[in-house]
Amino acid sequence: MRQRAAITAKTLRTDRWWFAPLITVIGLGAWVTYATVRVFMHDFYWVEDYHYLTPFYSPCVTETCVPEAAHFGRVLPGWWIIPDAALTLPFLLLFRLTCYYYRKAYYRSFWLSPPACAVPDGHKTYSGETRFPLVGQNLHRYAFYAAVIISLINTWDAVLAFHSPKGFGFGLGNIVLLVNVVMLWAYTLSCHSCRHIAGGRLKHFSKHPVRYRFWTFVSKLNVRHMQLAWITLGTLALTDFYVMALSADWFNDLRFIN
Ligand code: FES
C-alpha cells in the first residue's frame, strides 16, 4: 500500500468539507428518530372516513390493527415491540441500508470512512465490503425485488384511499398519498440494481428494444438517485404526518369531491 505523503496536517483541504457529512448526520438522524417513534406509537395510522393508511403501517398485519386497515390479514401478535408493518419494514430498511447512495452517505458521515475526499479515514484499517457484516451489502438486489412488491402495496393503498362515506372521494390526502407513491416508484426504479437488471449482461441492445427503452428510462432517473433518496424520506415523513394529523383530529382533510 502506498504511504501517505509526509505532511503533518490532517488534511490540506480548507473548504467546508465537513458540511455535507454534518447535514447528513442531522438529516438521517432526525428521520430515523421520527420514524422509530411513529412505528412504535401503534396509533394514528388510519383515517376511517377516507381510508387513508400511512406507509409506515402498510400493510398492517398485527392483531391490534384496525380491521379495515388490515388489507392483508392480521397474522402477527399484537405486542408493542412488533411494528404493525413488521412484514415490510425490515425489507425497506434493508433496501435503504444497502442502497449505493445511502452507503456513501452513512459511510462518510457516521463512519468517517473517509468523511470526504482527501480527508483521512477515521479508522486505521480498511477491509471494504469483503467481510461480515458489510459483505451483506451484496443483498441489495434482493432487497430491490422486495421494494418493488412493497411499492405495489403502497400503490394499492393509494387506490383504496379514493373512498369516502358516500362512495368515490377525492381530497388533499389523496394527493399526498399519490405524490408519495409516485416518488417511491421513481426512487425504486432509479436503483442501480434496477438499471442493471434492465440493461445489464446484454451484448446487443438492438436485439432487446423493450429492455433498451426501459434501461434508457431508468437511466434518466438513476442520475437523480441521491435527490430521490432524500425526496422520498421527505414525502414518507410528510405523508405519515398528514395521516397522523387527520387521525388525531388536529385538522380536517381538504375535500374536493365527497
Ligand atoms: S442503489 Fe439506491 S436503492 Fe438501489
Side-chain angles (χ1 to χ4, degrees), residues 228-240:
L228 289 165
W230 281 100
I231 288 169
T232 47
L233 289 187
T235 56
L236 277 166
L238 266 174
T239 305
D240 176 75

Side-chain angles (χ1 to χ4, degrees), residues 95 98-102 140 144 187-188 190-194 225:
F95 185 50
T98 58
C99 162
Y100 289 38
Y101 165 67
Y102 284 114
H140 185 64
F144 165 76
Y187 169 68
T188 306
S190 72
C191 167
H192 293 68
S193 287
C194 175
H225 193 57

Side-chain angles (χ1 to χ4, degrees), residues 19-30 101 104-106 109-110 230:
F19 187 70
L22 178 67
I23 288 289
T24 307
V25 167
I26 294 171
L28 289 182
Y101 165 67
K104 171 191 158 187
Y106 68 81
S109 55
F110 286 87
W230 281 100

